[in-house]
Amino acid sequence: MISLNEVSLIGNVGQSPEKKQTKNGKDYVAFSLATNEKWKDAQGNLQESTEWHNLKFYDKLADLVSNYVSKGDKIFCKGKLKTSEYTDKEGIKRKGTEVVCKEVIFLGNKSSKNEEITMDEAIKRMGGKEVPLERDLIGEVPF
């Protein structure tokens, strides 16, 4: 049976990335991302809702994010959902869900008033490595 665990988000960084370590000593960066939804209610009034997502980045992506991302920046990220258990300060077991990110593109910052940067600039910021888009791989699918 086929399954899929993939999340794509575009939003604004809630706080500057914070470097942390797992219990096994692996470095990662964590922060929250806000996504907004706007709609008109039955009376025609504009409504808005903000959803907060907990993000984690590991390895080289963690280094990149910690150097280039700040509170208020707009980013695109892609990853998978991961739910984990932890014990809070009062000793109560809890569950939390986060997005473990494998890709990120920088879309703007506070000083640019969320104007999107070009793909070339994003690639340059990501160390010059271009990640192929799905549409570019269509001819390479083996079935």
Side-chain angles (χ1 to χ4, degrees):
M1 176 174 245
I2 297 174
S3 66
L4 176 67
N5 181 358
E6 186 173 90
V7 178
S8 295
L9 299 168
I10 295 176
N12 293 86
V13 176
Q15 76 271 358
S16 291
E18 183 180 348
K19 286 187 177 182
K20 297 181 179 185
Q21 275 193 338
T22 65
K23 291 179 183 178
N24 298 331
K26 187 173 184 178
D27 292 331
Y28 69 93
V29 172
F31 59 91
S32 60
L33 186 77
T35 56
N36 299 306
E37 179 182 5
K38 293 182 183 181
W39 71 96
K40 288 190 179 182
D41 62 18
Q43 293 75 35
N45 299 317
L46 186 62
Q47 301 293 318
E48 184 173 358
S49 175
T50 302
E51 185 76 27
W52 288 94
H53 311 274
N54 295 317
L55 308 182
K56 279 190 178 176
F57 297 82
Y58 291 91
D59 304 321
K60 291 181 180 180
L61 204 51
D63 293 334
L64 181 73
V65 167
S66 67
N67 288 324
Y68 290 102
V69 174
S70 300
K71 180 179 179 177
D73 289 353
K74 186 174 286 281
I75 65 168
F76 163 83
C77 63
K78 192 172 188 178
K80 66 179 181 176
L81 288 178
K82 178 148 177 66
T83 302
S84 55
E85 291 185 3
Y86 64 96
T87 304
D88 69 11
K89 294 176 184 175
E90 288 81 36
I92 300 171
K93 285 195 172 197
R94 302 207 182 261
K95 286 186 176 184
T97 301
E98 60 208 12
V99 180
V100 178
C101 299
K102 301 289 184 192
E103 296 177 40
V104 65
I105 296 176
F106 307 102
L107 300 176
N109 56 38
K110 283 194 246 183
S111 63
S112 68
K113 298 182 181 164
N114 289 329
E115 294 174 15
E116 292 187 14
I117 62 172
T118 66
M119 183 62 84
D120 289 338
E121 179 61 24
I123 291 167
K124 185 172 18 171
R125 289 185 188 184
M126 293 171 66
K129 182 180 178 189
E130 185 171 359
V131 179
L133 300 173
E134 286 180 41
R135 68 174 186 264
D136 296 334
L137 298 174
I138 290 174
E140 298 179 23
V141 178
F143 52 87

